[in-house]
Amino acid sequence: MAEELRIVLRNCGVIDPLKIEDYINAGGYKALEKARNMGQLPVIDEVKKSNLRGRGGAGFNAGQKWTFVYQASADQKYVICNADEGEPGTYKDRIIMESDPHRLLEGMAICAYAVGADKGYIYCRGEYPYVVDILRQAIAQAKDKGVLGDFDIEVRMGAGAYVCGEETALIESIEGKRGEPRYKPPYPGVSGLWGKPTVVNNVETFANVPDIIEKGADWFKSIGAPSYPGTKIFTLSGDVVNRTFFEVPTNTTIRDIIFGLGGGIPGGKKFKAVQIGGNSGAIIPESLLDTPADFDSMAKVGATLGSGAVFVMDETRDIVDVATRTAKFFEHESCGKCAPCREGTMRIHEIMEKINQGKGKAGDMNLLERLGRVMSVSCLCGLGQAAPVPILTTMKHFRADYNAKVKE
Amino acid sequence: MATVTIDGIKVTVPDGSTILAAAQEAGIRIPTLCHHPDQAIKANCRICVCEVEGQRLLAAACAMPVWDGMVVKTRSPKVIEARKTILELILARHPQDCLNCIRNGVCELQDLAAEYMIRENPFTLKIKGYPKDTSTPSIVREQDKCINCRRCIGACSEIQTVHALGVEKRGYEAMVVPAMGGQLSDSPCVVCGQCIHACPVGAIYENEQIDEFLAAVADPDKVVVTQIAPAVRVAIAELVGMNTGELDMEVFVAGLRQLGFDYVLHTNFTADLTIIEEGHELLQRLTEGKGKLPMFTSCSPGWINFCETFYPDLLDHLSTCKSPQQMFGALVKTYWAEKMGIDPAKIYSVSIMPCTAKKFEAARPEMNASGYRDVDLVLTTREVGRLFQMAGLDFTKLQPSKFDSWMGKYTGAGVIFGATGGVMEAALRTVYEVVTKQTLEDVNFTAVRGMEGIKEAEVDLNGTKVRVAVGHSLGSARKLMDQVRAGESPYHFIEIMACPGGCIGGGGQPLTKSNRKRAERIDCIYVEDAGLPLRKSHENPEIKTLYEEFLHEPLGHKSHELLHTHYHPQHKKYF
Ligand SMILES: Cc1cc2nc3c(=O)[nH]c(=O)nc-3n(C[C@H](O)[C@H](O)[C@H](O)COP(=O)(O)O)c2cc1C
Ligand code: SF4
Ligand code: SF4
Ligand code: SF4
Ligand code: SF4
Ligand code: FES
């Protein structure tokens, strides 16, 4: 039976987020002090050794990313926290920021020290104005106390575009330009904000850092799945009894999350499918529920961990209709910069609507498959690459549902 | 250096090269749409995707740098499927209008559709249905044909620094549009036409005025007279199946007579005249303190639009000389008409120009010094190229024909007006002799030649050191102007041409995707100059006649009436 293990959310509901003293009394800002005594490279090595991987979706080794920025020679470097949290059904970053904002600031400050940056930005989802207030208060308190040293953090508010969560679009947006992704390479670690080496990490990634520095890489590595150690926060929604959030070790299975902590399906109904990682996540059936939720195990079965949103669907849900809605989402959220996504998201939605209304033909399924295949390898950024995932996975796992709607 | 294997072929290329460049080295052309050799990488069309061994994602060849040991497949089944699908997606949003399209036969999208054998498109055709933008006299925009490659933005923003174009809306509604989504005439567009060269398809093009021309030559009451700008001959060769510069001037004249022109004259003549007037104006500003320094040349109408729009506070620095086109227009219906005994009311004056901005200039209300509209119609080099096509002329068989008299003779100084630095060099050739009263032995001022953005030189005029600068493209102009505005310009005389390379790279020239072609045309211009017996404007015998019989003196009363103008600030809605 799955149990919660709170590292990132340790102080959640325990301390007053608006009182820096509470955070300090709970042991806060000690890790930052320790890091400064360790030296830059040892801090990076420790984070690298811990194998902390990005919690924003791509799962890149955080210490590795910091190394690039550390090694780059530049007169100015930046640390950016990605708090755009645009993935539907995800609110883990909000919980961290509103319940324990100093943990994020401390994680960023450790990173800034390690890579040699003196300026940081938190790019916060536009729908979270009260979180922006909390963050600004926390920053003011930390400055008053002098804990951040010469590291300056500014909070920027997003304008509501999902694509602005993509790290290079986010950077463009901070620069005051149209929020569109850049081609990569060069990666932000080499050429980021204003062309300078920049670390971009997710809120949850930064929030893990103080404990890693304090307790060591070996301690962190011993938790959860070896290839993606530590914990992960999941946010449950849809047809599940406990629609709330849980922080669990990463080797917890999806079944445990839904049926253990989540309390199973309400109303005595049967489970049908689950979509993990938000709208860009795979929609998977019962047979894959024993997969551990870590990044690599999920990838192996053609699913995604993504942001950790868990959307549960019971037997009454119309899977084709759900997939059609994700298609509409991506049509709406495509930034329009690259041809396969600009045109492809619109076409996927167009064809899905047709199928969903019972007007589809057998050829439409082949076309969708081809289009999805092409988009997932050709689009400029992760949005277009992931847009076909819900379609392709439902066509694979729930073919009968499609066949029931398609003519011929 | 990095050694890369592309479709089994090994090549070694400098570090940081893209897959696209490496493939070219290996003899493989990867298709592109958004890529432009003189612009920043965009990587938005994705038509250049290739498979890189060990990578799940396909790589955009135009943007992906190679590494040592990289193995690339440019036409695996996965790649072909991706390219075909992307093409189908683009074509399903594009008017199926090739037969009626100005770019029929010279269109990168059409070429790709043929190369990838697009036969049946599985996606349903969805056209936006926007009206054409014909708000300027020079440029037409056809929104529906735009494929969002953004090359026009690269030309307008990176190279010209005009920023008339941008992207509006998101997703499949995203569009490249003039500033604030308005009409081109509401934007700061200076109608230079550089976006036309950049555009891979028929979404931006010149205001084509073939019908007006055909009507004029069909009208027995009209005497149709033409002038040919200095940059036209070298480039129009490219449109009649010859190499750049290969078309002989007098064979070109013969071709124009075939099109129905009654008299063929030359803008080179008024280019020489410009040098006399502008040279004396410079001397007046240098020695008599009349007028502001540095003085700017004023023969590039795209540049004039730019100055009137972005630097209205510096208009006094512009030479008051009209462009050679407009000097010609004013004289052809006065001096020439009188000399030929032709009623000026019957003269229909057509200019053949490398330039889209000249269409705008000819339509300016003040350009009627002759008592009529000075220049009735401006045809670009491309339009005349199309007329030649329609006429079915074989230029290898046409017999040469001489220019008509009184405004048809020219010197090498007039010829080099077509290249960046040419006006400066021509002016120096004349000013030197006027001031020093000595013969200039070496007429070649090579410091002001070539494709470098800003060039400088210093000339000793009887002990007075005159510092000059030459800028081409409006990005260079902006740099020079900002210096002037800040009071930090070290120069006395500045030549500016709106287009990269000068008029040979003008917005109305045969489509040129790269500066390499422009450099080639420049070379041809200097070859022509070097081969002429007369290379200084003041030695042109017809110019001498003009002053003796009509103008009497440079900057005189008649000159002011006909050859000089004044400038006004331009106010645009969205600037
Ligand atoms: C369309 C799109 C949206 C994204 N949205 C977010 C987001 O809201 N929050 C986030 O942390 N990462 C998001 N990402 C991932 C970021 O690009 C980037 O990988 C991440 O911020 C890196 O941080 P990490 O290594 O700590 O995960 C998004 C990516 C894409 C392609
Ligand atoms: S994949 Fe979509 S969101 Fe990403 S750059 Fe292309 S159009 Fe924009
Ligand atoms: S732009 Fe090209 S593809 Fe489009 S109609 Fe014109 S010629 Fe055809
Ligand atoms: S004509 Fe020149 S100024 Fe106008 S949009 Fe094109 S490039 Fe820009
Ligand atoms: S107008 Fe032409 S150059 Fe500009 S984006 Fe459209 S297709 Fe590309
Ligand atoms: S040419 Fe490479 S993406 Fe357009």
Side-chain angles (χ1 to χ4, degrees), chain A residues 21-46:
Chain A
E21 291 78 14
D22 275 23
Y23 181 65
I24 291 174
N25 289 338
Y29 286 115
K30 273 207 193 112
L32 177 56
E33 205 182 312
K34 180 175 174 186
R36 286 184 181 139
N37 291 324
M38 285 165 72
Q40 290 174 275
L41 263 185
V43 170
I44 295 178
D45 281 343
E46 201 65 23

PDB file of all heavy atoms in Angstrom, chain A residues 21-46:
ATOM      1  N   GLU A  21      10.602  33.623   9.525  1.00  0.00           N
ATOM      2  CA  GLU A  21      11.099  33.036  10.777  1.00  0.00           C
ATOM      3  C   GLU A  21      10.668  31.582  10.893  1.00  0.00           C
ATOM      4  O   GLU A  21      11.435  30.724  11.328  1.00  0.00           O
ATOM      5  CB  GLU A  21      10.572  33.806  12.000  1.00  0.00           C
ATOM      6  CG  GLU A  21      11.146  35.206  12.150  1.00  0.00           C
ATOM      7  CD  GLU A  21      10.492  36.210  11.215  1.00  0.00           C
ATOM      8  OE1 GLU A  21       9.420  35.893  10.629  1.00  0.00           O
ATOM      9  OE2 GLU A  21      11.050  37.310  11.040  1.00  0.00           O
ATOM     10  N   ASP A  22       9.400  31.315  10.502  1.00  0.00           N
ATOM     11  CA  ASP A  22       8.898  29.940  10.563  1.00  0.00           C
ATOM     12  C   ASP A  22       9.780  29.019   9.727  1.00  0.00           C
ATOM     13  O   ASP A  22      10.137  27.924  10.163  1.00  0.00           O
ATOM     14  CB  ASP A  22       7.461  29.860  10.026  1.00  0.00           C
ATOM     15  CG  ASP A  22       6.444  30.193  11.112  1.00  0.00           C
ATOM     16  OD1 ASP A  22       6.842  30.883  12.088  1.00  0.00           O
ATOM     17  OD2 ASP A  22       5.284  29.769  10.983  1.00  0.00           O
ATOM     18  N   TYR A  23      10.127  29.486   8.531  1.00  0.00           N
ATOM     19  CA  TYR A  23      10.930  28.663   7.628  1.00  0.00           C
ATOM     20  C   TYR A  23      12.314  28.446   8.235  1.00  0.00           C
ATOM     21  O   TYR A  23      12.838  27.332   8.257  1.00  0.00           O
ATOM     22  CB  TYR A  23      11.049  29.344   6.259  1.00  0.00           C
ATOM     23  CG  TYR A  23      11.841  28.545   5.238  1.00  0.00           C
ATOM     24  CD1 TYR A  23      11.370  27.318   4.771  1.00  0.00           C
ATOM     25  CD2 TYR A  23      13.053  29.013   4.751  1.00  0.00           C
ATOM     26  CE1 TYR A  23      12.097  26.586   3.840  1.00  0.00           C
ATOM     27  CE2 TYR A  23      13.780  28.292   3.820  1.00  0.00           C
ATOM     28  CZ  TYR A  23      13.309  27.081   3.359  1.00  0.00           C
ATOM     29  OH  TYR A  23      14.020  26.353   2.445  1.00  0.00           O
ATOM     30  N   ILE A  24      12.869  29.514   8.783  1.00  0.00           N
ATOM     31  CA  ILE A  24      14.210  29.407   9.371  1.00  0.00           C
ATOM     32  C   ILE A  24      14.188  28.479  10.592  1.00  0.00           C
ATOM     33  O   ILE A  24      15.059  27.628  10.756  1.00  0.00           O
ATOM     34  CB  ILE A  24      14.746  30.805   9.726  1.00  0.00           C
ATOM     35  CG1 ILE A  24      15.026  31.569   8.413  1.00  0.00           C
ATOM     36  CG2 ILE A  24      16.029  30.710  10.554  1.00  0.00           C
ATOM     37  CD1 ILE A  24      15.416  33.014   8.600  1.00  0.00           C
ATOM     38  N   ASN A  25      13.126  28.620  11.405  1.00  0.00           N
ATOM     39  CA  ASN A  25      13.009  27.753  12.576  1.00  0.00           C
ATOM     40  C   ASN A  25      12.875  26.291  12.192  1.00  0.00           C
ATOM     41  O   ASN A  25      13.274  25.396  12.933  1.00  0.00           O
ATOM     42  CB  ASN A  25      11.806  28.166  13.433  1.00  0.00           C
ATOM     43  CG  ASN A  25      12.093  29.489  14.127  1.00  0.00           C
ATOM     44  OD1 ASN A  25      13.264  29.867  14.298  1.00  0.00           O
ATOM     45  ND2 ASN A  25      11.037  30.195  14.508  1.00  0.00           N
ATOM     46  N   ALA A  26      12.303  26.041  11.018  1.00  0.00           N
ATOM     47  CA  ALA A  26      12.156  24.655  10.544  1.00  0.00           C
ATOM     48  C   ALA A  26      13.441  24.185   9.862  1.00  0.00           C
ATOM     49  O   ALA A  26      13.462  23.163   9.180  1.00  0.00           O
ATOM     50  CB  ALA A  26      10.973  24.546   9.587  1.00  0.00           C
ATOM     51  N   GLY A  27      14.507  24.948  10.010  1.00  0.00           N
ATOM     52  CA  GLY A  27      15.792  24.533   9.428  1.00  0.00           C
ATOM     53  C   GLY A  27      16.097  25.202   8.100  1.00  0.00           C
ATOM     54  O   GLY A  27      17.069  24.864   7.432  1.00  0.00           O
ATOM     55  N   GLY A  28      15.243  26.151   7.675  1.00  0.00           N
ATOM     56  CA  GLY A  28      15.419  26.783   6.368  1.00  0.00           C
ATOM     57  C   GLY A  28      16.665  27.661   6.275  1.00  0.00           C
ATOM     58  O   GLY A  28      17.159  28.172   7.271  1.00  0.00           O
ATOM     59  N   TYR A  29      17.142  27.805   5.048  1.00  0.00           N
ATOM     60  CA  TYR A  29      18.311  28.610   4.671  1.00  0.00           C
ATOM     61  C   TYR A  29      19.632  28.086   5.245  1.00  0.00           C
ATOM     62  O   TYR A  29      20.665  28.718   5.089  1.00  0.00           O
ATOM     63  CB  TYR A  29      18.104  30.100   5.024  1.00  0.00           C
ATOM     64  CG  TYR A  29      17.132  30.761   4.048  1.00  0.00           C
ATOM     65  CD1 TYR A  29      15.891  31.234   4.486  1.00  0.00           C
ATOM     66  CD2 TYR A  29      17.451  30.875   2.695  1.00  0.00           C
ATOM     67  CE1 TYR A  29      14.985  31.797   3.601  1.00  0.00           C
ATOM     68  CE2 TYR A  29      16.562  31.452   1.800  1.00  0.00           C
ATOM     69  CZ  TYR A  29      15.320  31.909   2.257  1.00  0.00           C
ATOM     70  OH  TYR A  29      14.442  32.471   1.376  1.00  0.00           O
ATOM     71  N   LYS A  30      19.577  26.922   5.909  1.00  0.00           N
ATOM     72  CA  LYS A  30      20.831  26.321   6.380  1.00  0.00           C
ATOM     73  C   LYS A  30      21.583  25.725   5.198  1.00  0.00           C
ATOM     74  O   LYS A  30      22.807  25.765   5.134  1.00  0.00           O
ATOM     75  CB  LYS A  30      20.531  25.219   7.394  1.00  0.00           C
ATOM     76  CG  LYS A  30      20.401  25.729   8.803  1.00  0.00           C
ATOM     77  CD  LYS A  30      20.764  24.628   9.800  1.00  0.00           C
ATOM     78  CE  LYS A  30      20.346  25.020  11.192  1.00  0.00           C
ATOM     79  NZ  LYS A  30      19.239  24.203  11.724  1.00  0.00           N
ATOM     80  N   ALA A  31      20.811  25.133   4.280  1.00  0.00           N
ATOM     81  CA  ALA A  31      21.439  24.486   3.125  1.00  0.00           C
ATOM     82  C   ALA A  31      22.182  25.520   2.282  1.00  0.00           C
ATOM     83  O   ALA A  31      23.261  25.255   1.762  1.00  0.00           O
ATOM     84  CB  ALA A  31      20.389  23.770   2.280  1.00  0.00           C
ATOM     85  N   LEU A  32      21.602  26.698   2.171  1.00  0.00           N
ATOM     86  CA  LEU A  32      22.247  27.762   1.383  1.00  0.00           C
ATOM     87  C   LEU A  32      23.585  28.125   2.025  1.00  0.00           C
ATOM     88  O   LEU A  32      24.599  28.279   1.340  1.00  0.00           O
ATOM     89  CB  LEU A  32      21.309  28.972   1.308  1.00  0.00           C
ATOM     90  CG  LEU A  32      21.846  30.211   0.596  1.00  0.00           C
ATOM     91  CD1 LEU A  32      22.293  29.895  -0.829  1.00  0.00           C
ATOM     92  CD2 LEU A  32      20.789  31.316   0.567  1.00  0.00           C
ATOM     93  N   GLU A  33      23.561  28.258   3.338  1.00  0.00           N
ATOM     94  CA  GLU A  33      24.796  28.585   4.049  1.00  0.00           C
ATOM     95  C   GLU A  33      25.826  27.476   3.845  1.00  0.00           C
ATOM     96  O   GLU A  33      26.992  27.734   3.566  1.00  0.00           O
ATOM     97  CB  GLU A  33      24.454  28.736   5.531  1.00  0.00           C
ATOM     98  CG  GLU A  33      25.410  29.624   6.273  1.00  0.00           C
ATOM     99  CD  GLU A  33      25.025  29.668   7.752  1.00  0.00           C
ATOM    100  OE1 GLU A  33      23.818  29.874   8.046  1.00  0.00           O
ATOM    101  OE2 GLU A  33      25.911  29.468   8.586  1.00  0.00           O
ATOM    102  N   LYS A  34      25.334  26.240   3.947  1.00  0.00           N
ATOM    103  CA  LYS A  34      26.236  25.100   3.782  1.00  0.00           C
ATOM    104  C   LYS A  34      26.837  25.108   2.367  1.00  0.00           C
ATOM    105  O   LYS A  34      28.038  24.906   2.193  1.00  0.00           O
ATOM    106  CB  LYS A  34      25.456  23.794   4.016  1.00  0.00           C
ATOM    107  CG  LYS A  34      26.320  22.542   3.874  1.00  0.00           C
ATOM    108  CD  LYS A  34      25.551  21.278   4.222  1.00  0.00           C
ATOM    109  CE  LYS A  34      26.390  20.030   3.938  1.00  0.00           C
ATOM    110  NZ  LYS A  34      25.615  18.804   4.136  1.00  0.00           N
ATOM    111  N   ALA A  35      25.967  25.368   1.384  1.00  0.00           N
ATOM    112  CA  ALA A  35      26.433  25.380  -0.009  1.00  0.00           C
ATOM    113  C   ALA A  35      27.548  26.400  -0.186  1.00  0.00           C
ATOM    114  O   ALA A  35      28.568  26.129  -0.814  1.00  0.00           O
ATOM    115  CB  ALA A  35      25.266  25.693  -0.946  1.00  0.00           C
ATOM    116  N   ARG A  36      27.362  27.565   0.385  1.00  0.00           N
ATOM    117  CA  ARG A  36      28.369  28.625   0.230  1.00  0.00           C
ATOM    118  C   ARG A  36      29.695  28.227   0.857  1.00  0.00           C
ATOM    119  O   ARG A  36      30.751  28.691   0.427  1.00  0.00           O
ATOM    120  CB  ARG A  36      27.862  29.923   0.855  1.00  0.00           C
ATOM    121  CG  ARG A  36      26.787  30.585  -0.010  1.00  0.00           C
ATOM    122  CD  ARG A  36      26.354  31.919   0.581  1.00  0.00           C
ATOM    123  NE  ARG A  36      25.325  32.526  -0.241  1.00  0.00           N
ATOM    124  CZ  ARG A  36      24.255  33.139   0.242  1.00  0.00           C
ATOM    125  NH1 ARG A  36      24.057  33.206   1.546  1.00  0.00           N
ATOM    126  NH2 ARG A  36      23.365  33.666  -0.574  1.00  0.00           N
ATOM    127  N   ASN A  37      29.637  27.370   1.862  1.00  0.00           N
ATOM    128  CA  ASN A  37      30.880  26.906   2.464  1.00  0.00           C
ATOM    129  C   ASN A  37      31.505  25.758   1.689  1.00  0.00           C
ATOM    130  O   ASN A  37      32.693  25.503   1.813  1.00  0.00           O
ATOM    131  CB  ASN A  37      30.628  26.480   3.920  1.00  0.00           C
ATOM    132  CG  ASN A  37      30.300  27.689   4.785  1.00  0.00           C
ATOM    133  OD1 ASN A  37      30.853  28.778   4.569  1.00  0.00           O
ATOM    134  ND2 ASN A  37      29.382  27.518   5.723  1.00  0.00           N
ATOM    135  N   MET A  38      30.661  25.069   0.879  1.00  0.00           N
ATOM    136  CA  MET A  38      31.177  23.926   0.119  1.00  0.00           C
ATOM    137  C   MET A  38      32.015  24.358  -1.088  1.00  0.00           C
ATOM    138  O   MET A  38      32.966  23.692  -1.472  1.00  0.00           O
ATOM    139  CB  MET A  38      30.020  23.062  -0.411  1.00  0.00           C
ATOM    140  CG  MET A  38      29.332  22.205   0.643  1.00  0.00           C
ATOM    141  SD  MET A  38      27.731  21.584   0.036  1.00  0.00           S
ATOM    142  CE  MET A  38      28.264  20.365  -1.165  1.00  0.00           C
ATOM    143  N   GLY A  39      31.650  25.467  -1.717  1.00  0.00           N
ATOM    144  CA  GLY A  39      32.275  25.871  -2.989  1.00  0.00           C
ATOM    145  C   GLY A  39      31.368  25.492  -4.141  1.00  0.00           C
ATOM    146  O   GLY A  39      30.550  24.572  -4.028  1.00  0.00           O
ATOM    147  N   GLN A  40      31.522  26.209  -5.256  1.00  0.00           N
ATOM    148  CA  GLN A  40      30.582  26.067  -6.380  1.00  0.00           C
ATOM    149  C   GLN A  40      30.563  24.654  -6.972  1.00  0.00           C
ATOM    150  O   GLN A  40      29.513  24.026  -7.078  1.00  0.00           O
ATOM    151  CB  GLN A  40      30.926  27.068  -7.477  1.00  0.00           C
ATOM    152  CG  GLN A  40      30.627  28.507  -7.084  1.00  0.00           C
ATOM    153  CD  GLN A  40      31.120  29.476  -8.135  1.00  0.00           C
ATOM    154  OE1 GLN A  40      32.281  29.865  -8.115  1.00  0.00           O
ATOM    155  NE2 GLN A  40      30.235  29.861  -9.048  1.00  0.00           N
ATOM    156  N   LEU A  41      31.744  24.156  -7.341  1.00  0.00           N
ATOM    157  CA  LEU A  41      31.777  22.855  -8.023  1.00  0.00           C
ATOM    158  C   LEU A  41      31.263  21.719  -7.142  1.00  0.00           C
ATOM    159  O   LEU A  41      30.478  20.890  -7.609  1.00  0.00           O
ATOM    160  CB  LEU A  41      33.190  22.560  -8.527  1.00  0.00           C
ATOM    161  CG  LEU A  41      33.432  22.897  -9.995  1.00  0.00           C
ATOM    162  CD1 LEU A  41      34.824  22.449 -10.415  1.00  0.00           C
ATOM    163  CD2 LEU A  41      32.374  22.238 -10.895  1.00  0.00           C
ATOM    164  N   PRO A  42      31.676  21.655  -5.867  1.00  0.00           N
ATOM    165  CA  PRO A  42      31.142  20.586  -5.009  1.00  0.00           C
ATOM    166  C   PRO A  42      29.617  20.612  -4.910  1.00  0.00           C
ATOM    167  O   PRO A  42      28.989  19.549  -4.842  1.00  0.00           O
ATOM    168  CB  PRO A  42      31.788  20.876  -3.653  1.00  0.00           C
ATOM    169  CG  PRO A  42      33.072  21.580  -3.987  1.00  0.00           C
ATOM    170  CD  PRO A  42      32.749  22.411  -5.197  1.00  0.00           C
ATOM    171  N   VAL A  43      29.022  21.805  -4.934  1.00  0.00           N
ATOM    172  CA  VAL A  43      27.558  21.881  -4.886  1.00  0.00           C
ATOM    173  C   VAL A  43      26.971  21.245  -6.157  1.00  0.00           C
ATOM    174  O   VAL A  43      26.059  20.413  -6.099  1.00  0.00           O
ATOM    175  CB  VAL A  43      27.075  23.343  -4.761  1.00  0.00           C
ATOM    176  CG1 VAL A  43      25.569  23.432  -4.960  1.00  0.00           C
ATOM    177  CG2 VAL A  43      27.473  23.916  -3.409  1.00  0.00           C
ATOM    178  N   ILE A  44      27.523  21.638  -7.289  1.00  0.00           N
ATOM    179  CA  ILE A  44      27.026  21.088  -8.553  1.00  0.00           C
ATOM    180  C   ILE A  44      27.230  19.574  -8.578  1.00  0.00           C
ATOM    181  O   ILE A  44      26.336  18.819  -8.962  1.00  0.00           O
ATOM    182  CB  ILE A  44      27.729  21.759  -9.748  1.00  0.00           C
ATOM    183  CG1 ILE A  44      27.354  23.241  -9.803  1.00  0.00           C
ATOM    184  CG2 ILE A  44      27.355  21.073 -11.054  1.00  0.00           C
ATOM    185  CD1 ILE A  44      28.021  24.009 -10.917  1.00  0.00           C
ATOM    186  N   ASP A  45      28.396  19.129  -8.134  1.00  0.00           N
ATOM    187  CA  ASP A  45      28.674  17.689  -8.131  1.00  0.00           C
ATOM    188  C   ASP A  45      27.679  16.929  -7.254  1.00  0.00           C
ATOM    189  O   ASP A  45      27.223  15.840  -7.615  1.00  0.00           O
ATOM    190  CB  ASP A  45      30.098  17.432  -7.629  1.00  0.00           C
ATOM    191  CG  ASP A  45      31.122  17.701  -8.730  1.00  0.00           C
ATOM    192  OD1 ASP A  45      30.701  17.765  -9.911  1.00  0.00           O
ATOM    193  OD2 ASP A  45      32.313  17.867  -8.415  1.00  0.00           O
ATOM    194  N   GLU A  46      27.360  17.528  -6.140  1.00  0.00           N
ATOM    195  CA  GLU A  46      26.419  16.872  -5.224  1.00  0.00           C
ATOM    196  C   GLU A  46      25.051  16.734  -5.899  1.00  0.00           C
ATOM    197  O   GLU A  46      24.421  15.671  -5.836  1.00  0.00           O
ATOM    198  CB  GLU A  46      26.305  17.706  -3.936  1.00  0.00           C
ATOM    199  CG  GLU A  46      25.783  16.956  -2.729  1.00  0.00           C
ATOM    200  CD  GLU A  46      26.726  15.834  -2.257  1.00  0.00           C
ATOM    201  OE1 GLU A  46      27.940  15.891  -2.554  1.00  0.00           O
ATOM    202  OE2 GLU A  46      26.227  14.888  -1.624  1.00  0.00           O
TER     203      GLU A  46
END
